Amino acid sequence: MTATTASVEAAADRLELATATGIACAPITDLVPAGDIDVAYQVQRRLTERRLAAGARIIGRKIGLTSAAVQRQIGVDRPDFGVLFDDMSYADGELIPVGRLLQPKAEAEVAFLLGRDIEDASDPAALRDAVELAFPALEIVDSRIADWRIGITDTVADNASSGVFVVGTTGTPLDAVAPIDVTMTMRRGDEVVSTGTGRDCLGDPLNALAWLAATLIDVGTPLRAGDLVLSGALGPMVSVSAGDVFVADIAPLGTVTARFSGKDEQ
């Protein structure tokens, strides 16, 4: 076993243990040098392999760190991506057990359901045509790293700081909406806690989709018809507590609700 392979396995073990125990761990920079994104993605792939071996199913991808506000919150300057597994998905308004999460934060975004494979990300028209429907979505990001003390290496390895997600019930075809023009208001109860627009997601959520499509083509795992893509935050993420209810209005796509269990609920 090479030093790099040993480091990848050790980093995956640390993150996996944090998930299993619900106890956040130290950053992995003692195992994967800060800024070594290639090795960080090796850790992510190793964790993905373990999840698949345990019976999980991949249903899409998520793009992270697309909002300048979120990049400032985390202290990074580039997007990343992670994997969406079937057990991460909750229905609109379904109760999410807060205990399955360590340090959850909510962010509102546009989700794309693909109707075609994306083999070439260089043609904006073809990219747009590959999208069957756009949905309002709430991603609940999470970190296995204690106190969110993360850099780009930590978050990439940790499946782009994934937690769970909720997608609205009704999708809209792109001939009826321009993702760049959507406006987002997210409320926790009656309080407005985050706002933004499509332009806050890499200038346009379709830019984020193009970045992801090109990146995945380069690594040999292109996006396919049927994939769901969470395109990235439209505004600042907000900490989640037991019993919280978040409602995001992403006009004109509609609303989506994430409800969290109380401390004593399962």
Side-chain angles (χ1 to χ4, degrees):
M1 182 179 292
T2 66
T4 298
T5 302
S7 296
V8 167
E9 290 293 328
D13 287 346
R14 182 180 298 178
L15 293 167
E16 193 172 56
L17 181 63
T19 299
T21 62
I23 300 172
C25 62
I28 63 166
T29 45
D30 60 320
L31 300 168
V32 178
D36 195 335
I37 296 176
D38 289 342
V39 175
Y41 275 116
Q42 290 180 40
V43 177
Q44 184 188 121
R45 287 193 293 272
R46 186 68 188 103
L47 287 167
T48 296
E49 290 167 358
R50 295 181 183 184
R51 289 294 317 278
L52 294 175
R57 181 170 59 90
I58 295 174
I59 60 173
R61 300 291 191 278
K62 62 153 286 183
I63 311 167
L65 306 176
T66 56
S67 161
V70 172
Q71 288 182 359
R72 286 193 297 269
Q73 283 180 295
I74 299 299
V76 300
D77 61 359
R78 70 190 80 184
D80 66 353
F81 70 87
V83 176
L84 298 180
F85 295 102
D86 54 343
D87 65 352
M88 295 167 58
S89 176
Y90 285 85
D92 192 0
E94 182 181 1
L95 192 68
I96 300 169
V98 75
R100 72 167 287 179
L101 302 162
L102 279 73
Q103 305 170 97
K105 298 176 184 286
E107 57 186 36
E109 47 197 88
V110 176
F112 295 121
L113 178 64
L114 300 185
R116 301 180 186 176
D117 297 352
I118 301 180
E119 302 282 2
D120 179 1
S122 63
D123 182 351
L127 190 83
R128 188 180 181 92
D129 287 345
V131 176
E132 181 176 340
L133 295 168
F135 294 82
L138 280 164
E139 183 184 2
I140 313 306
V141 296
D142 199 7
S143 180
R144 271 47 64 179
I145 307 298
D147 303 318
W148 281 91
R149 292 183 290 114
I150 64 174
I152 187 66
T153 306
D154 300 291
T155 188
V156 166
D158 191 21
N159 197 26
S161 299
S162 294
V164 299
F165 65 92
V166 183
V167 175
T169 56
T170 303
T172 303
L174 291 193
D175 60 5
V177 62
I180 191 174
D181 291 330
V182 302
T183 59
M184 181 275 291
T185 302
M186 183 170 73
R187 290 178 170 81
R188 178 172 52 204
D190 295 328
E191 179 189 6
V192 174
V193 291
S194 184
T195 61
T197 73
R199 289 175 172 80
D200 294 315
C201 177
L202 284 187
D204 183 340
L206 287 172
N207 290 344
L209 178 63
W211 173 84
L212 176 66
T215 301
L216 292 181
I217 289 168
D218 286 345
V219 300
T221 56
L223 291 167
R224 300 297 187 190
D227 281 348
L228 182 72
V229 176
L230 298 181
S231 62
L234 302 174
M237 58 186 181
V238 179
S239 294
V240 174
S241 297
D244 278 348
V245 178
F246 288 87
V247 178
D249 182 356
I250 304 178
L253 297 178
T255 63
V256 58
T257 299
R259 296 174 58 241
F260 294 88
S261 65
K263 292 181 179 179
D264 298 326
E265 296 178 280
Q266 297 298 316

